[in-house]
Amino acid sequence: MTESSAGGAGRRQKVQAAEVGTDILTALAELAPATSLSRLAEHVGMPASKVHRYLQALIASGFAEQDATTNHYGLGPAALFVGLAALGRLDVVKLATPYLAELRDELNETCFLAVWGNRGPTVVHVEQAVRAVTLVTQVGSVLPLLGSSTGLVFNAFLADAETADLRDLELQTPSSRDLQAAMERLRQSHVQSVQGLLMAGVNALSAPLFSGGQRIAGVVTVVGTEPGFMAEPDGEAAQTLLRITRRISTRMGARLGE
């Protein structure tokens, strides 16, 4: 074997070892907070002896750790450091912007992203529809919590302590019981439809964005005018909105469907 071929074989072995190591790290994350060696080996489809060898290397580098009491394995502090660094790079506005443009192009309706600010739901990015008449939704606008589809999504998915004061100020109609029932439906469907709630003749569809830990990170809203945009909660536009928001949430580390 020549020196060059030996070097190539060595590089391939390192790549293969890295792939196995990342498979095991991924499995540790999927089986978090901790798992037995046998369950981990079954999950990755490898012999337990092979998994054990890789675990020892991961433990030595801080990417995995073993509980001395249960002998179960979990992610170590180095994995946490890398994960937090990756999450820190996920700016919801920067990440969602190209998807909002895609959503606008598919529906030809104005789309915007809102995040939770100190005064409530706040518009931070707008993609205007490409048509003669557009809806003016300005960056920086603060929307009502219960008087907009965007606000209703935040109300359903944010912690109660974060929305209680604003909700108490706005809550006149619907009644608290009606609102609670609507929130439960929204938590199941993940899409909120309103017709003319904030402005007569203007309809809207909103859906949440989730980050790792299943926390709401923002809300994407599609707005349009009647009769062209009726904002049916089970219509084609709603399905397109859900498809796009799920892609963004997955990109942000959310594990949907659990």
Side-chain angles (χ1 to χ4, degrees), residues 10-29:
R11 284 192 294 271
R12 285 194 296 273
Q13 289 176 347
K14 289 180 180 180
V15 170
Q16 291 170 353
E19 290 174 347
V20 174
T22 54
D23 286 345
I24 292 174
L25 278 174
T26 301
L28 286 173

Side-chain angles (χ1 to χ4, degrees), residues 19-190:
E19 290 174 347
V20 174
T22 54
D23 286 345
I24 292 174
L25 278 174
T26 301
L28 286 173
E30 292 170 345
L31 299 174
T35 184
S36 65
L37 174 61
S38 59
R39 186 180 178 207
L40 180 60
E42 181 181 2
H43 190 78
V44 296
M46 299 178 194
S49 58
K50 181 178 181 179
V51 174
H52 185 263
R53 290 197 304 273
Y54 277 88
L55 281 171
Q56 297 312 301
L58 291 171
I59 289 172
S61 60
F63 281 90
E65 60 186 11
Q66 185 178 23
D67 188 301
T69 303
T70 64
N71 289 327
H72 284 189
Y73 296 90
L75 293 173
L80 177 62
F81 175 79
V82 172
L84 290 175
L87 286 174
R89 295 180 58 199
L90 293 180
D91 181 286
V92 63
V93 181
K94 181 170 66 175
L95 193 150
T97 295
Y99 292 96
L100 260 68
E102 178 183 341
L103 181 63
R104 184 270 320 275
D105 291 344
E106 285 199 37
L107 299 180
N108 196 20
E109 303 290 353
T110 295
C111 308
F112 65 83
L113 169 67
V115 299
W116 186 255
N118 59 359
R119 293 187 296 149
T122 305
V123 178
V124 292
H125 184 81
V126 180
E127 292 289 343
Q128 289 282 2
V130 183
R131 55 173 64 190
V133 179
T134 60
L135 296 171
V136 179
T137 306
Q138 294 183 341
V139 171
S141 299
V142 178
L143 302 173
L145 184 69
L146 305 182
S148 67
S149 62
T150 305
L152 287 167
V153 174
F154 277 115
N155 185 62
F157 291 98
L158 272 177
D160 186 70
E162 296 188 63
T163 57
D165 290 345
L166 189 55
R167 184 172 57 250
D168 290 344
L169 286 174
E170 294 185 22
L171 187 57
Q172 297 175 0
T173 56
S175 70
S176 180
R177 181 179 299 177
D178 292 340
L179 180 61
Q180 189 64 38
M183 287 167 61
E184 291 302 322
R185 290 194 296 271
L186 175 53
R187 287 166 183 156
Q188 294 296 318
S189 68
H190 282 205

Side-chain angles (χ1 to χ4, degrees), residues 231-243:
E232 298 95 340
D234 55 354
E236 184 177 343
Q239 295 305 309
T240 301
L241 173 62
L242 284 172
R243 173 170 53 82

Side-chain angles (χ1 to χ4, degrees), residues 174-258:
S175 70
S176 180
R177 181 179 299 177
D178 292 340
L179 180 61
Q180 189 64 38
M183 287 167 61
E184 291 302 322
R185 290 194 296 271
L186 175 53
R187 287 166 183 156
Q188 294 296 318
S189 68
H190 282 205
V191 64
Q192 175 69 53
S193 169
V194 300
Q195 285 80 29
L197 180 61
L198 190 59
M199 186 182 302
V202 176
N203 301 331
L205 288 168
S206 295
L209 300 178
F210 297 101
S211 61
Q214 308 306 96
R215 287 183 54 84
I216 186 169
V219 174
V220 174
T221 298
V222 182
V223 289
T225 56
E226 297 180 358
F229 184 67
M230 297 306 294
E232 298 95 340
D234 55 354
E236 184 177 343
Q239 295 305 309
T240 301
L241 173 62
L242 284 172
R243 173 170 53 82
I244 296 292
T245 53
R246 285 167 181 158
R247 286 169 58 192
I248 300 171
S249 295
T250 300
R251 180 69 179 81
M252 293 184 65
R255 302 180 68 182
L256 304 179
E258 296 187 353

